[in-house]
mmCIF file of all heavy atoms in Angstrom:
data_model
loop_
_atom_site.group_PDB
_atom_site.id
_atom_site.type_symbol
_atom_site.label_atom_id
_atom_site.label_comp_id
_atom_site.label_asym_id
_atom_site.label_seq_id
_atom_site.Cartn_x
_atom_site.Cartn_y
_atom_site.Cartn_z
ATOM 1 N N GLU A 1 2.645 -1.816 3.236
ATOM 2 C CA GLU A 1 2.478 -2.690 4.183
ATOM 3 C C GLU A 1 1.507 -2.242 5.323
ATOM 4 O O GLU A 1 0.716 -2.975 5.903
ATOM 5 C CB GLU A 1 3.749 -3.232 4.889
ATOM 6 C CG GLU A 1 4.700 -3.956 3.952
ATOM 7 C CD GLU A 1 6.091 -4.213 4.435
ATOM 8 O OE1 GLU A 1 6.438 -3.530 5.517
ATOM 9 O OE2 GLU A 1 6.793 -5.039 3.979
ATOM 10 N N LEU A 2 1.654 -0.943 5.621
ATOM 11 C CA LEU A 2 0.789 -0.300 6.600
ATOM 12 C C LEU A 2 -0.701 -0.354 6.141
ATOM 13 O O LEU A 2 -1.628 -0.637 6.754
ATOM 14 C CB LEU A 2 1.201 1.056 6.906
ATOM 15 C CG LEU A 2 0.383 1.992 7.846
ATOM 16 C CD1 LEU A 2 0.451 1.269 9.223
ATOM 17 C CD2 LEU A 2 0.861 3.377 7.896
ATOM 18 N N GLU A 3 -0.914 -0.027 4.832
ATOM 19 C CA GLU A 3 -2.263 0.073 4.172
ATOM 20 C C GLU A 3 -2.813 -1.440 4.284
ATOM 21 O O GLU A 3 -3.968 -1.479 4.489
ATOM 22 C CB GLU A 3 -2.247 0.714 2.832
ATOM 23 C CG GLU A 3 -1.992 1.984 2.849
ATOM 24 C CD GLU A 3 -1.856 2.762 1.444
ATOM 25 O OE1 GLU A 3 -1.448 2.025 0.482
ATOM 26 O OE2 GLU A 3 -2.191 3.912 1.285
ATOM 27 N N ALA A 4 -1.979 -2.324 3.931
ATOM 28 C CA ALA A 4 -2.407 -3.694 3.977
ATOM 29 C C ALA A 4 -2.864 -4.178 5.403
ATOM 30 O O ALA A 4 -3.913 -4.831 5.560
ATOM 31 C CB ALA A 4 -1.390 -4.707 3.436
ATOM 32 N N GLN A 5 -2.051 -3.782 6.407
ATOM 33 C CA GLN A 5 -2.324 -4.139 7.767
ATOM 34 C C GLN A 5 -3.599 -3.451 8.257
ATOM 35 O O GLN A 5 -4.311 -3.980 8.982
ATOM 36 C CB GLN A 5 -1.140 -3.741 8.621
ATOM 37 C CG GLN A 5 -1.249 -4.152 10.087
ATOM 38 C CD GLN A 5 0.034 -3.908 10.893
ATOM 39 O OE1 GLN A 5 1.021 -3.373 10.297
ATOM 40 N NE2 GLN A 5 0.086 -4.230 12.201
ATOM 41 N N LEU A 6 -3.872 -2.171 7.770
ATOM 42 C CA LEU A 6 -5.037 -1.420 8.251
ATOM 43 C C LEU A 6 -6.234 -1.759 7.399
ATOM 44 O O LEU A 6 -7.304 -1.285 7.597
ATOM 45 C CB LEU A 6 -4.700 0.016 8.297
ATOM 46 C CG LEU A 6 -3.693 0.484 9.207
ATOM 47 C CD1 LEU A 6 -3.338 2.069 9.041
ATOM 48 C CD2 LEU A 6 -4.041 0.253 10.715
ATOM 49 N N LYS A 7 -5.972 -2.399 6.145
ATOM 50 C CA LYS A 7 -7.059 -2.745 5.238
ATOM 51 C C LYS A 7 -7.675 -1.379 4.659
ATOM 52 O O LYS A 7 -8.917 -1.440 4.477
ATOM 53 C CB LYS A 7 -7.971 -3.620 5.817
ATOM 54 C CG LYS A 7 -7.477 -4.976 6.152
ATOM 55 C CD LYS A 7 -8.550 -5.901 6.778
ATOM 56 C CE LYS A 7 -8.017 -7.360 7.107
ATOM 57 N NZ LYS A 7 -6.959 -7.287 8.072
ATOM 58 N N THR A 8 -6.978 -0.320 4.542
ATOM 59 C CA THR A 8 -7.467 0.774 3.987
ATOM 60 C C THR A 8 -6.329 1.739 3.376
ATOM 61 O O THR A 8 -5.155 1.544 3.799
ATOM 62 C CB THR A 8 -8.238 1.698 5.003
ATOM 63 O OG1 THR A 8 -8.921 2.767 4.409
ATOM 64 C CG2 THR A 8 -7.351 2.219 6.045
ATOM 65 N N LYS A 9 -6.580 2.538 2.434
ATOM 66 C CA LYS A 9 -5.617 3.491 1.832
ATOM 67 C C LYS A 9 -5.478 4.629 2.755
ATOM 68 O O LYS A 9 -6.453 5.288 3.339
ATOM 69 C CB LYS A 9 -6.077 3.893 0.490
ATOM 70 C CG LYS A 9 -5.967 2.848 -0.571
ATOM 71 C CD LYS A 9 -6.452 3.447 -1.899
ATOM 72 C CE LYS A 9 -5.657 4.506 -2.468
ATOM 73 N NZ LYS A 9 -6.070 5.027 -3.795
ATOM 74 N N VAL A 10 -4.203 5.088 2.983
ATOM 75 C CA VAL A 10 -3.982 6.352 3.832
ATOM 76 C C VAL A 10 -3.639 7.512 2.997
ATOM 77 O O VAL A 10 -3.551 8.641 3.449
ATOM 78 C CB VAL A 10 -2.973 5.947 4.903
ATOM 79 C CG1 VAL A 10 -3.500 5.052 5.964
ATOM 80 C CG2 VAL A 10 -1.657 5.523 4.348
ATOM 81 N N PHE A 11 -3.162 7.149 1.660
ATOM 82 C CA PHE A 11 -2.744 8.268 0.703
ATOM 83 C C PHE A 11 -3.509 8.011 -0.541
ATOM 84 O O PHE A 11 -3.638 6.944 -1.068
ATOM 85 C CB PHE A 11 -1.246 8.304 0.478
ATOM 86 C CG PHE A 11 -0.416 8.631 1.682
ATOM 87 C CD1 PHE A 11 0.259 7.768 2.274
ATOM 88 C CD2 PHE A 11 -0.432 10.001 2.024
ATOM 89 C CE1 PHE A 11 1.062 8.121 3.366
ATOM 90 C CE2 PHE A 11 0.363 10.382 3.173
ATOM 91 C CZ PHE A 11 1.113 9.424 3.903
ATOM 92 N N ASP A 12 -3.978 9.169 -1.198
ATOM 93 C CA ASP A 12 -4.501 9.238 -2.626
ATOM 94 C C ASP A 12 -3.233 9.549 -3.361
ATOM 95 O O ASP A 12 -2.613 10.643 -3.190
ATOM 96 C CB ASP A 12 -5.660 10.091 -2.734
ATOM 97 C CG ASP A 12 -6.880 9.465 -2.324
ATOM 98 O OD1 ASP A 12 -7.059 8.250 -2.437
ATOM 99 O OD2 ASP A 12 -7.878 10.104 -1.914
ATOM 100 N N ARG A 13 -3.069 8.936 -4.424
ATOM 101 C CA ARG A 13 -1.803 9.265 -5.392
ATOM 102 C C ARG A 13 -2.304 9.685 -6.791
ATOM 103 O O ARG A 13 -3.231 9.004 -7.314
ATOM 104 C CB ARG A 13 -0.870 7.910 -5.467
ATOM 105 C CG ARG A 13 -0.342 7.402 -4.265
ATOM 106 C CD ARG A 13 0.150 6.122 -4.302
ATOM 107 N NE ARG A 13 0.774 5.569 -3.057
ATOM 108 C CZ ARG A 13 0.034 5.115 -2.036
ATOM 109 N NH1 ARG A 13 -1.244 5.048 -2.097
ATOM 110 N NH2 ARG A 13 0.752 4.589 -1.002
ATOM 111 N N ASN A 14 -1.780 10.784 -7.207
ATOM 112 C CA ASN A 14 -2.250 11.373 -8.461
ATOM 113 C C ASN A 14 -0.812 11.868 -9.210
ATOM 114 O O ASN A 14 -0.407 12.875 -9.039
ATOM 115 C CB ASN A 14 -3.213 12.497 -8.315
ATOM 116 C CG ASN A 14 -3.567 13.098 -9.690
ATOM 117 O OD1 ASN A 14 -3.397 12.491 -10.676
ATOM 118 N ND2 ASN A 14 -4.214 14.371 -9.686
ATOM 119 N N GLY A 15 -0.322 10.874 -9.835
ATOM 120 C CA GLY A 15 0.949 11.105 -10.426
ATOM 121 C C GLY A 15 2.091 11.169 -9.435
ATOM 122 O O GLY A 15 2.215 10.345 -8.559
ATOM 123 N N THR A 16 2.739 12.382 -9.367
ATOM 124 C CA THR A 16 3.710 12.513 -8.410
ATOM 125 C C THR A 16 3.165 13.176 -7.149
ATOM 126 O O THR A 16 3.781 13.340 -6.107
ATOM 127 C CB THR A 16 4.845 13.514 -8.946
ATOM 128 O OG1 THR A 16 4.267 14.735 -9.338
ATOM 129 C CG2 THR A 16 5.597 12.775 -10.229
ATOM 130 N N LYS A 17 1.910 13.541 -7.105
ATOM 131 C CA LYS A 17 1.315 14.289 -5.963
ATOM 132 C C LYS A 17 0.593 13.225 -5.102
ATOM 133 O O LYS A 17 -0.029 12.299 -5.576
ATOM 134 C CB LYS A 17 0.394 15.371 -6.522
ATOM 135 C CG LYS A 17 1.115 16.545 -7.138
ATOM 136 C CD LYS A 17 0.089 17.525 -7.552
ATOM 137 C CE LYS A 17 0.785 18.758 -8.243
ATOM 138 N NZ LYS A 17 -0.125 19.863 -8.579
ATOM 139 N N ILE A 18 0.719 13.456 -3.935
ATOM 140 C CA ILE A 18 -0.208 12.604 -2.840
ATOM 141 C C ILE A 18 -0.845 13.492 -1.901
ATOM 142 O O ILE A 18 -0.466 14.672 -1.703
ATOM 143 C CB ILE A 18 0.781 11.651 -2.148
ATOM 144 C CG1 ILE A 18 1.781 12.380 -1.283
ATOM 145 C CG2 ILE A 18 1.455 10.691 -3.146
ATOM 146 C CD1 ILE A 18 2.550 11.434 -0.269
ATOM 147 N N LYS A 19 -1.994 13.017 -1.464
ATOM 148 C CA LYS A 19 -2.646 13.638 -0.274
ATOM 149 C C LYS A 19 -3.333 12.618 0.666
ATOM 150 O O LYS A 19 -3.494 11.387 0.239
ATOM 151 C CB LYS A 19 -3.763 14.573 -0.889
ATOM 152 C CG LYS A 19 -4.955 13.874 -1.549
ATOM 153 C CD LYS A 19 -5.923 14.786 -1.974
ATOM 154 C CE LYS A 19 -7.191 14.175 -2.651
ATOM 155 N NZ LYS A 19 -8.305 15.140 -2.983
ATOM 156 N N LEU A 20 -3.577 12.943 1.824
ATOM 157 C CA LEU A 20 -4.188 12.077 2.814
ATOM 158 C C LEU A 20 -5.574 11.764 2.541
ATOM 159 O O LEU A 20 -6.269 12.683 2.004
ATOM 160 C CB LEU A 20 -4.048 12.765 4.207
ATOM 161 C CG LEU A 20 -2.731 12.760 4.865
ATOM 162 C CD1 LEU A 20 -2.764 13.752 6.045
ATOM 163 C CD2 LEU A 20 -2.238 11.416 5.284
ATOM 164 N N THR A 21 -6.018 10.547 2.664
ATOM 165 C CA THR A 21 -7.349 10.220 2.596
ATOM 166 C C THR A 21 -7.997 10.503 3.966
ATOM 167 O O THR A 21 -7.279 11.007 4.888
ATOM 168 C CB THR A 21 -7.520 8.684 2.322
ATOM 169 O OG1 THR A 21 -6.910 7.932 3.480
ATOM 170 C CG2 THR A 21 -6.834 8.104 1.054
ATOM 171 N N ARG A 22 -9.263 10.322 4.120
ATOM 172 C CA ARG A 22 -9.887 10.580 5.410
ATOM 173 C C ARG A 22 -9.316 9.581 6.442
ATOM 174 O O ARG A 22 -9.110 10.027 7.631
ATOM 175 C CB ARG A 22 -11.417 10.425 5.262
ATOM 176 C CG ARG A 22 -12.097 11.433 4.519
ATOM 177 C CD ARG A 22 -13.621 11.302 4.507
ATOM 178 N NE ARG A 22 -14.160 11.623 5.901
ATOM 179 C CZ ARG A 22 -15.360 11.352 6.160
ATOM 180 N NH1 ARG A 22 -16.304 11.052 5.196
ATOM 181 N NH2 ARG A 22 -15.752 11.554 7.383
ATOM 182 N N ALA A 23 -9.148 8.410 6.095
ATOM 183 C CA ALA A 23 -8.422 7.456 6.985
ATOM 184 C C ALA A 23 -7.011 7.903 7.331
ATOM 185 O O ALA A 23 -6.580 7.816 8.470
ATOM 186 C CB ALA A 23 -8.376 6.033 6.331
ATOM 187 N N GLY A 24 -6.386 8.457 6.367
ATOM 188 C CA GLY A 24 -4.995 8.960 6.552
ATOM 189 C C GLY A 24 -5.009 10.097 7.593
ATOM 190 O O GLY A 24 -4.140 10.241 8.331
ATOM 191 N N GLU A 25 -6.035 11.071 7.399
ATOM 192 C CA GLU A 25 -6.132 12.210 8.325
ATOM 193 C C GLU A 25 -6.301 11.728 9.780
ATOM 194 O O GLU A 25 -5.750 12.170 10.700
ATOM 195 C CB GLU A 25 -7.200 13.015 7.918
ATOM 196 C CG GLU A 25 -6.898 13.831 6.557
ATOM 197 C CD GLU A 25 -8.086 14.607 6.031
ATOM 198 O OE1 GLU A 25 -9.107 14.486 6.600
ATOM 199 O OE2 GLU A 25 -7.950 15.314 5.014
ATOM 200 N N LEU A 26 -7.181 10.684 9.904
ATOM 201 C CA LEU A 26 -7.338 10.203 11.249
ATOM 202 C C LEU A 26 -6.211 9.437 11.768
ATOM 203 O O LEU A 26 -5.864 9.677 12.940
ATOM 204 C CB LEU A 26 -8.603 9.140 11.111
ATOM 205 C CG LEU A 26 -8.900 8.253 12.397
ATOM 206 C CD1 LEU A 26 -9.306 9.231 13.627
ATOM 207 C CD2 LEU A 26 -9.950 7.321 12.207
ATOM 208 N N LEU A 27 -5.511 8.773 10.947
ATOM 209 C CA LEU A 27 -4.254 8.063 11.410
ATOM 210 C C LEU A 27 -3.189 9.074 11.813
ATOM 211 O O LEU A 27 -2.496 8.912 12.787
ATOM 212 C CB LEU A 27 -3.740 7.220 10.275
ATOM 213 C CG LEU A 27 -2.492 6.336 10.590
ATOM 214 C CD1 LEU A 27 -2.675 5.464 11.799
ATOM 215 C CD2 LEU A 27 -1.936 5.599 9.419
ATOM 216 N N LEU A 28 -3.113 10.212 11.002
ATOM 217 C CA LEU A 28 -2.073 11.163 11.449
ATOM 218 C C LEU A 28 -2.355 11.739 12.755
ATOM 219 O O LEU A 28 -1.520 11.985 13.574
ATOM 220 C CB LEU A 28 -2.160 12.234 10.339
ATOM 221 C CG LEU A 28 -1.134 13.419 10.646
ATOM 222 C CD1 LEU A 28 0.327 12.985 10.694
ATOM 223 C CD2 LEU A 28 -1.248 14.602 9.513
ATOM 224 N N ALA A 29 -3.616 12.089 13.047
ATOM 225 C CA ALA A 29 -4.015 12.720 14.273
ATOM 226 C C ALA A 29 -3.824 11.651 15.445
ATOM 227 O O ALA A 29 -3.057 12.092 16.524
ATOM 228 C CB ALA A 29 -5.471 13.077 14.398
ATOM 229 N N ARG A 30 -4.028 10.499 15.265
ATOM 230 C CA ARG A 30 -3.786 9.479 16.319
ATOM 231 C C ARG A 30 -2.278 9.129 16.413
ATOM 232 O O ARG A 30 -1.849 8.882 17.490
ATOM 233 C CB ARG A 30 -4.567 8.193 15.960
ATOM 234 C CG ARG A 30 -6.093 8.229 16.122
ATOM 235 C CD ARG A 30 -6.538 8.858 17.369
ATOM 236 N NE ARG A 30 -8.064 8.692 17.400
ATOM 237 C CZ ARG A 30 -8.687 9.444 18.420
ATOM 238 N NH1 ARG A 30 -8.117 10.168 19.299
ATOM 239 N NH2 ARG A 30 -10.057 9.234 18.419
ATOM 240 N N THR A 31 -1.612 9.142 15.355
ATOM 241 C CA THR A 31 -0.170 8.852 15.419
ATOM 242 C C THR A 31 0.559 9.973 16.199
ATOM 243 O O THR A 31 1.379 9.606 16.949
ATOM 244 C CB THR A 31 0.459 8.801 13.888
ATOM 245 O OG1 THR A 31 -0.189 7.639 13.351
ATOM 246 C CG2 THR A 31 1.883 8.550 14.044
ATOM 247 N N GLU A 32 0.074 11.208 16.024
ATOM 248 C CA GLU A 32 0.717 12.279 16.801
ATOM 249 C C GLU A 32 0.447 12.066 18.339
ATOM 250 O O GLU A 32 1.315 12.494 19.206
ATOM 251 C CB GLU A 32 0.337 13.675 16.224
ATOM 252 C CG GLU A 32 0.810 13.939 14.890
ATOM 253 C CD GLU A 32 0.678 15.247 14.375
ATOM 254 O OE1 GLU A 32 -0.419 15.856 14.748
ATOM 255 O OE2 GLU A 32 1.457 15.751 13.519
ATOM 256 N N GLN A 33 -0.749 11.657 18.648
ATOM 257 C CA GLN A 33 -1.024 11.377 20.018
ATOM 258 C C GLN A 33 -0.175 10.215 20.646
ATOM 259 O O GLN A 33 0.254 10.375 21.720
ATOM 260 C CB GLN A 33 -2.598 11.098 20.145
ATOM 261 C CG GLN A 33 -3.457 12.273 19.912
ATOM 262 C CD GLN A 33 -4.903 11.772 19.910
ATOM 263 O OE1 GLN A 33 -5.244 10.656 19.956
ATOM 264 N NE2 GLN A 33 -5.858 12.754 19.860
ATOM 265 N N ILE A 34 -0.013 9.297 19.758
ATOM 266 C CA ILE A 34 0.822 8.022 20.245
ATOM 267 C C ILE A 34 2.276 8.504 20.513
ATOM 268 O O ILE A 34 2.794 8.197 21.520
ATOM 269 C CB ILE A 34 0.688 6.954 19.164
ATOM 270 C CG1 ILE A 34 -0.672 6.336 19.094
ATOM 271 C CG2 ILE A 34 1.728 5.867 19.553
ATOM 272 C CD1 ILE A 34 -0.875 5.306 18.021
ATOM 273 N N PHE A 35 2.844 9.254 19.564
ATOM 274 C CA PHE A 35 4.200 9.756 19.764
ATOM 275 C C PHE A 35 4.266 10.594 20.943
ATOM 276 O O PHE A 35 5.348 10.634 21.663
ATOM 277 C CB PHE A 35 4.599 10.448 18.456
ATOM 278 C CG PHE A 35 4.784 9.430 17.258
ATOM 279 C CD1 PHE A 35 4.967 9.968 15.882
ATOM 280 C CD2 PHE A 35 4.866 8.079 17.395
ATOM 281 C CE1 PHE A 35 5.093 9.157 14.906
ATOM 282 C CE2 PHE A 35 5.054 7.216 16.253
ATOM 283 C CZ PHE A 35 5.144 7.782 15.106
ATOM 284 N N GLU A 36 3.271 11.475 21.166
ATOM 285 C CA GLU A 36 3.321 12.311 22.368
ATOM 286 C C GLU A 36 3.346 11.491 23.645
ATOM 287 O O GLU A 36 4.120 11.868 24.513
ATOM 288 C CB GLU A 36 2.152 13.298 22.390
ATOM 289 C CG GLU A 36 2.106 14.224 23.524
ATOM 290 C CD GLU A 36 3.185 15.224 23.568
ATOM 291 O OE1 GLU A 36 3.796 15.467 22.453
ATOM 292 O OE2 GLU A 36 3.565 15.746 24.662
#
């Protein structure tokens, strides 16, 4: 739902492994600022 709302993927999925996309890295940095 978050990815649909943002219209972009925030995680790349490879089987059971996931990693942040570039958009995900940006969202993580901004999310931590928001929570702070």
Side-chain angles (χ1 to χ4, degrees):
E1 289 174 346
L2 179 64
E3 290 179 327
Q5 188 171 358
L6 297 175
K7 298 182 175 61
T8 188
K9 290 176 62 177
V10 294
F11 292 108
D12 279 329
R13 299 161 179 83
N14 182 12
T16 58
K17 296 182 178 180
I18 63 171
K19 67 177 184 178
L20 288 165
T21 62
R22 290 185 65 183
E25 292 173 351
L26 174 61
L27 181 60
L28 177 59
R30 294 304 189 195
T31 298
E32 292 187 332
Q33 291 175 350
I34 290 169
F35 290 165
E36 179 64 23

